[in-house]
Amino acid sequence: MTSPAVAERAIELIYLVSGTLFILALKWLSAPATARRGVRAGEVGMLLAICATLLHRGIVDFTWIAIALVLGTIIGVPLGRVAMTAVPQRTALSHAFGALCVTLVGAAEYYLRAPHVPAVMMAVLSMEVILGGLTFTGSLMAAGKLQEILPQRPITYKGQNIVNLSLLAISVALAALLVVDPGRTSLFPLLIGIPLVFGVLMIVPIGGADMPTVISLLNSYAGLSAAAMGFVLNSKLLIVAGALDGSSGFILSVIMSKAMNRSFSNVLFGAFGQVQAAAAGVQEARGVRSATAEEAAQILAAANSVVVVPGYGMAVAQAQHKVREFYDALTRRGVDVKFAIHPVAGRMPGHMNVLLAEADIPYDRLLDMDAINPEFAQTDVALVVGANDVTNPAARNDPASPIYGMPILDVDKAKTVMVIKRSLSPGFAGIDNELYYLGKTLMLFGDAKAFVGELVRELGGEGR
Ligand code: NAP
């Protein structure tokens, strides 16, 4: 075999190993115990893929590649160091970069080949740039909303869906014209420009709080456009990686929508999040029972079983390490402590698992919703740490509630309920929570980190 043929073989082989590592990464990422290994496998797979690509004979000059690598590193390193609560917008930025890359490659390939582009290739190329373009601006908008650079609330106007769908229809019509006659190069800028506008308009009516689900959906678009790019460039690795990205992003959005009991159309067109201000005013008139850390600690110390229910407030307060100390203090006293994990607690999938793993809470203490719900009735104390919607019994009892039908943690079935939060303000869904007004509920008002710290002190576990 000649040396170029050997190099080609080696590249294909390395790509095969990369693809396998990507598949294993996804598998390992699905369980907390193996998630770190999954991240490593993904990293090694990507490194191998980049190295193999650099072996290609088609590369005649490495200057621009070196510049791109340096630039990518300069941008990538700080992006990897953002706070955990900023990961959704960071992920959106990564999708934006990926989608921009796909769109640019698609444009370059078109102009290199036009007018001699076979119909199937033109169709795939069109799909690549349409999905790439809308994912680029859509992801930037999503990141802007999450970072609160852009207004979070949904902005709606009459006929909005018709305008948006018309833009998409025009893009598809342009693609069809180009498939019939790829020589119409003047149409190509429109094929890129209209999806760019569509990406912005698509996100405008979606509330900031729905962005994680939207980002997951954009993730799947980015994956599909990368797979299309794989066809155009005849790269099997890109096809595999794009398909994995596309399908996993889609499955994740389905899981998130199901866990919120929302349909895709409700997330994309429902303008969720507009009612928050109205709902917030209603609660103040009703009475709740509150308690001090000392009183709460006495009840906790006398309990046999405690289930901790973490939520978004624990993430905001960065209270996970205090929660670990709390777990240690109670466990030392012989109390059985478990953690109830709702699939959409927090603001991104796996948010609670990641934070509790960071604090080294044993994995076998973390129980999914279906596993922990039957246990609440035998639980002495359910301690809610900055969670709200995922514990709201209105999801079971009130057909008029916007979260009716959403699966929740049955915290209200525990013998005593304690809720750590700063006020009676609503959470993500913007609605009041019946749980706070139950006779068995004690409100522990305060910042999650500070209050759990006080509980630890009262339980005699400080500083260990
Ligand atoms: P939540 O309903 O948003 O409630 C969080 C609560 O944390 C708030 O009521 C807030 O009350 C409290 N809080 C905020 N900062 C705090 C602090 N420093 N210390 C103590 N408490 C603090 O959160 P959740 O119960 O975790 O539910 C998640 C919600 O997000 C669900 O509605 C879900 O559908 C939605 N969602 C989740 C995802 C996901 O992937 N996880 C994606 C999209 C949407 P105070 O202001 O009174 O303190």
Side-chain angles (χ1 to χ4, degrees):
M1 227 185 294
T2 59
S3 68
V6 173
E8 282 306 312
R9 267 287 163 81
I11 292 171
E12 289 300 322
L13 209 65
I14 300 174
Y15 280 170
L16 189 67
V17 176
S18 294
T20 311
L21 283 170
F22 291 154
I23 293 169
L24 286 173
L26 278 183
K27 182 174 164 35
W28 286 331
L29 278 169
S30 61
T34 51
R36 279 201 178 93
R37 198 192 309 159
V39 173
R40 291 278 170 269
E43 284 171 347
V44 173
M46 187 52 80
L47 186 68
L48 285 177
I50 294 172
C51 292
T53 306
L54 293 176
L55 293 177
H56 268 290
R57 278 181 308 131
I59 302 174
V60 286
D61 182 3
F62 281 91
T63 318
W64 285 103
I65 294 175
I67 294 172
L69 273 177
V70 171
L71 275 179
T73 309
I74 292 172
I75 298 171
V77 169
L79 273 184
R81 296 205 170 132
V82 298
M84 187 64 77
T85 40
V87 166
Q89 49 268 50
R90 195 215 68 89
T91 311
L93 279 182
S94 309
H95 292 162
F97 291 142
L100 176 64
C101 160
V102 164
T103 313
L104 291 175
V105 171
E109 286 294 323
Y110 172 74
Y111 286 112
L112 279 175
R113 295 169 192 223
H116 307 294
V117 193
V120 175
M121 178 65 74
M122 191 63 233
V124 176
L125 242 171
S126 304
M127 179 177 140
E128 179 187 334
V129 295
I130 290 176
L131 286 174
L134 70 89
T135 305
F136 172 56
T137 47
S139 301
L140 284 182
M141 288 286 294
K145 282 204 175 199
L146 283 170
Q147 193 61 33
E148 296 182 29
I149 300 168
L150 297 173
Q152 292 238 332
R153 73 196 153 77
I155 298 170
T156 52
Y157 57 86
K158 215 167 165 250
Q160 192 165 30
N161 291 341
I162 294 173
V163 171
N164 291 358
L165 292 176
S166 305
L167 283 177
L168 199 60
I170 294 172
S171 310
V172 175
L174 284 170
L177 283 175
L178 279 163
V179 168
V180 175
D181 180 5
R184 297 188 185 197
T185 47
S186 58
L187 292 183
F188 200 78
L190 287 176
L191 190 68
I192 295 181
I194 293 176
L196 288 176
V197 177
F198 175 78
V200 175
L201 297 182
M202 176 178 76
I203 302 299
V204 164
I206 306 176
D210 267 340
M211 283 305 129
T213 318
V214 172
I215 286 171
S216 169
L217 205 57
L218 289 170
N219 178 8
S220 98
Y221 295 164
L224 287 179
S225 58
M229 184 164 86
F231 279 109
V232 173
L233 299 178
N234 194 20
S235 162
K236 291 183 195 71
L237 181 66
L238 260 178
I239 297 173
V240 171
L244 286 175
D245 200 12
S247 51
S248 58
F250 185 72
I251 292 169
L252 190 56
S253 340
V254 172
I255 292 173
M256 287 164 80
S257 300
K258 264 202 186 140
M260 294 190 283
N261 195 36
R262 313 258 312 277
S263 64
F264 264 177
S265 56
N266 183 272
V267 170
L268 294 176
F269 308 117
F272 202 70
Q274 279 183 324
V275 289
Q276 295 210 349
V282 182
Q283 324 127 5
E284 308 302 340
R286 305 171 64 186
V288 295
R289 286 200 308 149
S290 63
T292 62
E294 192 186 348
E295 289 160 347
Q298 279 169 8
I299 300 171
L300 286 160
N304 286 319
S305 56
V306 171
V307 173
V308 179
V309 180
Y312 179 61
M314 184 188 81
V316 177
Q318 287 291 293
Q320 64 273 23
H321 296 287
K322 284 288 164 209
V323 168
R324 164 76 211 218
E325 288 176 27
F326 172 80
Y327 165 79
D328 287 342
L330 276 188
T331 310
R332 265 197 300 273
R333 287 170 171 263
V335 183
D336 178 52
V337 186
K338 290 179 180 148
F339 292 80
I341 308 296
H342 190 282
V344 292
R347 287 295 181 273
M348 59 184 166
H351 205 166
M352 298 301 120
N353 296 81
V354 171
L355 291 173
L356 296 176
E358 181 193 319
D360 285 330
I361 299 204
Y363 301 132
D364 63 355
R365 297 278 98 192
L366 312 186
L367 276 84
D368 287 340
M369 182 167 58
D370 294 338
I372 197 76
N373 267 347
E375 294 198 20
F376 276 115
Q378 295 88 50
T379 299
D380 292 326
V381 182
L383 176 71
V384 179
V385 184
N388 188 344
D389 295 344
V390 299
T391 65
N392 192 340
R396 278 196 322 255
N397 311 330
D398 179 5
S401 169
I403 60 163
Y404 184 66
M406 168 174 153
I408 55 155
L409 291 164
D410 295 332
V411 172
D412 56 324
K413 297 194 173 152
K415 290 173 195 150
T416 300
V417 182
M418 297 182 185
V419 182
I420 301 180
K421 71 201 293 287
R422 297 161 308 173
S423 65
L424 287 175
S425 298
F428 165 87
I431 50 169
D432 204 2
N433 192 342
E434 282 300 315
L435 184 70
Y436 307 153
Y437 309 100
L438 299 181
K440 60 165 88 168
T441 302
L442 284 176
M443 296 303 293
L444 309 179
F445 288 115
D447 170 75
K449 187 173 176 181
F451 207 105
V452 178
E454 279 180 53
L455 287 178
V456 174
R457 251 192 312 281
E458 293 294 338
L459 291 165
E462 195 187 16
R464 289 190 219 190

